[in-house]
Amino acid sequence: MRIRSLGVIDDAVVELSPGFTAVTGETGAGKTMVVTSLGLLLGGRADPALVRLGSKAAVVEGRIVMRPDAPAAVRAEEAGAELDDGALLISRTVSAEGRSRAHVGGRSVPVGLLGELADDLVAVHGQTDQQGLLRPARQRQALDRYAGDAVAVPLEKYAAAYRRLRAVAAELDEITTRARERAQEADLLRFGLDEIAAVEPRAGEDAELAAEAERLGHAESLASAALLAHAALAGNPEDPEGVDANTLVAGAHRALESVRAHDAALGALAERIGELGILLADVSGELAGYADDLDADPLRLAAVEERRAALGQLTRKYGSEGHSVDAVLSWAEQGAARLLELDGDDERIGELTAERDGLRAELSQLAQALTDARAEAAQRFASAVTAELASLAMPHARVTIDIRQAEDPEGVEVGGRPVAYGPTGADEVELLLAPHPGAQPRPIAKGASGGELSRVMLAVEVVFAGADPVPTYLFDEVDAGVGGKAAVEVGRRLAKLAKSAQVVVVTHLPQVAAFADRQLLVEKTNDGSVTRSGVTVLEGEDRIRELSRMLAGQEDSQTARAHAEELLAAARADA
């Protein structure tokens, strides 16, 4: 990794060994920034406060060697990235304003992609993870992760059934608790539908009646106008001497008809006048029929107005903003559908109750399967952690995992009794420690001293490391509170783990650092104005000096040097 302008680090290159790399240095020198840098490359949160004072941005670049068919390489290529001679180049930039950018294989990518790649690249185990593992909920998650598909498969089915049960129960509760409101709504709908059905409106009927009312209200003037127009076109029988349009047009047609043979243009005009005569005859006939058919009956007008009043009452109540019969009919259609839904509540309650009971039975079976799978995994997990503790100078310690359920009359049945259940099953999981023979197993948060707790947590992390198929493991001061022989055992165990994976450890213990294949020193100097940190690979004399400092706080102490040389020799002999 290359780190620039991050915290106390101005510009540093960190070269990690393929095996075991130990990162050491004085408190405040910037060891944590190495871990933070790796976290940024893995998609961690970008905090602008990390940017070095006076710099515009912090930049972390990493080169990760991997096989072309590795899951991370395949995912990166799907995002458009390219491997560079078998290595994936990743960079993360964090500006002082808080903006963050990520690049993978030469392509700009969403920061979220880094998190996806991290799942297949690095497992980070730090003091924060230790504190988290003290909580029973995290211990249950840890056990499930260790168990793998044996728990993951039934847990996925259980979670789906649990979500459906919650939805069914919520709907059932909504129907039953709102039964009174729904009954009132149904009564209002029935009243409205009955009122509309009694009137029997037709689509568009209000517009038809409005036109008819207008016509009936002016029947006399309409009839008079039609008769006058008819007389003008066809003549008035009471006035034989009067001139009408039909007679005049007929005379014009006869005049042209007698000479049309001598001129085609005049013949065409004659034909048009003939057509005009036919049209006048048709119109005059229709005017006569209109006047004869016009109904001036006041009883009919009263009936129309009464019908319009009945429709108007409906449109005002059910016609929404349009106040039309069509809107009333639309309301009736929707109301009928809603009434069917409301009237079907009893049937729906029966269906939901049956589905709820079926889901509860299914959850009981799945919860039992989860409990059985967790119990089997818990035995293996506890045995593995106990074996690790023996390698960490706690040969008589014994770790067990307590899996229990809380009784609940309203719960699901597991083990022949009703128990409380949640989205992850019915089990409460707790890691217990008996530090020596005869001691009662107690929760690790209460049953272990500080040094014991660190070793228990390291044992847990190592067991996880064996279960997690990732190539790199980062341990951030998980050896806190450990010293003496136990510290030597911690170093020996990490070195053993490094034979099958890359291990990076940030540590303050010389006993741990001595087992590393490569030791990196993070140190800072102060020139009076700018603090710079550098990361140096320690070899030979430099490494002995750093181990001496870690042992006694004095690089030149002959006793500390002799002890440092002895530590290195013992570690190399053990390897």
Side-chain angles (χ1 to χ4, degrees), residues 302-388:
V304 168
E305 292 297 348
E306 183 179 352
R307 178 67 175 173
R308 290 185 68 195
L311 293 177
Q313 186 177 7
L314 292 182
T315 57
R316 284 190 297 274
K317 295 176 67 174
Y318 310 108
S320 66
E321 295 181 0
H323 295 306
S324 68
V325 168
D326 289 348
V328 171
L329 294 174
S330 177
W331 183 93
E333 182 179 359
Q334 296 173 10
R338 175 62 176 162
L339 186 59
L340 283 175
E341 180 182 336
L342 294 172
D343 286 342
D345 275 358
D346 291 341
E347 181 180 351
R348 182 60 178 158
I349 287 174
E351 293 174 355
L352 290 173
T353 301
E355 185 177 3
R356 181 198 62 190
D357 294 343
L359 286 168
R360 286 175 62 86
E362 181 182 358
L363 280 181
S364 293
Q365 295 178 354
L366 291 171
Q368 184 67 63
L370 281 173
T371 298
D372 295 342
R374 284 171 177 152
E376 189 278 330
Q379 291 184 351
R380 291 188 290 110
F381 183 73
S383 297
V385 174
T386 299
E388 288 295 334

Side-chain angles (χ1 to χ4, degrees), residues 400-416:
T400 56
I401 296 181
D402 180 29
I403 299 177
R404 59 185 181 273
Q405 300 83 31
E407 289 199 20
D408 182 356
E410 302 298 322
V412 297
E413 187 171 307
V414 175

Side-chain angles (χ1 to χ4, degrees), residues 164-487:
R164 178 56 189 162
L165 177 60
R166 291 286 299 272
V168 168
E171 185 178 354
L172 191 57
D173 183 64
E174 191 271 342
I175 291 177
T176 53
T177 56
R178 290 188 54 209
R180 183 174 181 180
E181 295 176 18
R182 295 166 76 91
Q184 292 175 345
E185 183 184 356
D187 287 342
L188 289 174
L189 286 173
R190 286 192 187 91
F191 178 82
L193 291 172
D194 289 344
E195 193 173 13
I196 294 171
V199 177
E200 296 183 338
R202 293 181 294 102
E205 184 181 3
D206 50 346
E208 296 175 5
L209 291 173
E212 186 177 1
E214 183 73 12
R215 187 170 63 252
L216 290 172
H218 299 81
E220 292 185 5
S221 57
L222 291 173
S224 175
L227 290 174
L228 286 174
H230 178 267
L233 294 178
N236 188 349
E238 298 180 358
D239 184 12
E241 301 297 328
V243 179
D244 58 83
N246 281 337
T247 302
L248 294 174
V249 170
H253 184 262
R254 287 194 300 271
L256 294 180
E257 191 69 24
S258 61
V259 295
R260 64 180 297 176
H262 304 300
D263 188 349
L266 199 61
L269 291 174
E271 289 184 3
R272 292 171 62 187
I273 292 175
E275 294 172 357
L276 181 59
I278 295 172
L279 179 60
L280 287 174
D282 289 342
V283 172
S284 61
E286 290 182 16
L287 285 171
Y290 176 85
D292 291 340
D293 295 338
L294 189 61
D295 187 1
D297 185 0
L299 294 178
R300 174 56 187 167
L301 178 58
V304 168
E305 292 297 348
E306 183 179 352
R307 178 67 175 173
R308 290 185 68 195
L311 293 177
Q313 186 177 7
L314 292 182
T315 57
R316 284 190 297 274
K317 295 176 67 174
Y318 310 108
S320 66
E321 295 181 0
H323 295 306
S324 68
V325 168
D326 289 348
V328 171
L329 294 174
S330 177
W331 183 93
E333 182 179 359
Q334 296 173 10
R338 175 62 176 162
L339 186 59
L340 283 175
E341 180 182 336
L342 294 172
D343 286 342
D345 275 358
D346 291 341
E347 181 180 351
R348 182 60 178 158
I349 287 174
E351 293 174 355
L352 290 173
T353 301
E355 185 177 3
R356 181 198 62 190
D357 294 343
L359 286 168
R360 286 175 62 86
E362 181 182 358
L363 280 181
S364 293
Q365 295 178 354
L366 291 171
Q368 184 67 63
L370 281 173
T371 298
D372 295 342
R374 284 171 177 152
E376 189 278 330
Q379 291 184 351
R380 291 188 290 110
F381 183 73
S383 297
V385 174
T386 299
E388 288 295 334
L389 288 177
S391 301
L392 294 171
M394 293 180 67
H396 304 297
R398 182 169 57 91
V399 168
T400 56
I401 296 181
D402 180 29
I403 299 177
R404 59 185 181 273
Q405 300 83 31
E407 289 199 20
D408 182 356
E410 302 298 322
V412 297
E413 187 171 307
V414 175
R417 60 194 180 98
V419 298
Y421 64 101
T424 58
D427 303 317
E428 297 177 8
V429 176
E430 191 164 32
L431 199 63
L432 306 178
L433 172 68
H436 53 80
Q440 284 294 110
R442 299 181 63 195
I444 55 176
K446 302 176 181 178
S449 65
E452 289 173 338
L453 180 60
S454 291
R455 278 178 283 171
V456 171
M457 287 304 175
L458 179 58
V460 169
E461 300 295 355
V462 170
V463 170
F464 276 146
D468 280 348
V470 293
T472 301
Y473 301 94
L474 172 63
F475 294 93
D476 181 16
E477 296 192 7
V478 294
D479 50 13
V482 177
K485 182 180 178 181

Side-chain angles (χ1 to χ4, degrees), residues 60-144:
V60 182
E61 298 167 306
R63 183 176 184 271
I64 305 176
V65 178
M66 63 180 66
R67 302 188 320 275
D69 60 345
V74 173
R75 180 67 186 92
E77 289 180 346
E78 290 175 352
E82 296 181 0
L83 292 183
D84 179 19
D85 193 21
L88 186 64
L89 303 180
I90 300 178
S91 71
R92 180 84 179 274
T93 302
V94 181
S95 72
E97 292 79 24
R99 293 188 299 273
S100 173
R101 291 179 297 166
H103 290 80
V104 175
R107 292 291 297 272
S108 177
V109 298
V111 173
L113 177 65
L114 299 184
E116 294 180 32
L117 298 179
D119 292 338
D120 297 315
L121 292 175
V122 182
V124 180
H125 306 289
Q127 290 179 315
T128 301
D129 301 273
Q130 285 189 3
Q131 296 302 315
L133 278 171
L134 295 179
R135 299 195 300 270
R138 283 291 302 277
Q139 293 174 14
R140 196 253 329 141
Q141 294 173 5
L143 178 62
D144 288 355

Side-chain angles (χ1 to χ4, degrees), residues 524-571:
K524 64 181 179 180
T525 59
N526 194 337
D527 61 6
S529 60
V530 178
T531 301
R532 298 175 180 270
S533 280
V535 181
T536 308
V537 179
L538 298 179
E539 296 178 349
E541 180 65 22
D542 292 335
R543 188 171 185 186
I544 292 175
R545 284 175 58 83
E546 171 63 7
L547 289 174
S548 299
R549 180 199 65 76
M550 296 172 71
L551 281 164
Q554 301 175 0
E555 296 91 333
D556 299 324
S557 167
Q558 293 301 315
T559 302
R561 285 178 56 83
H563 191 184
E565 291 173 351
E566 183 182 357
L567 270 179
L568 279 174

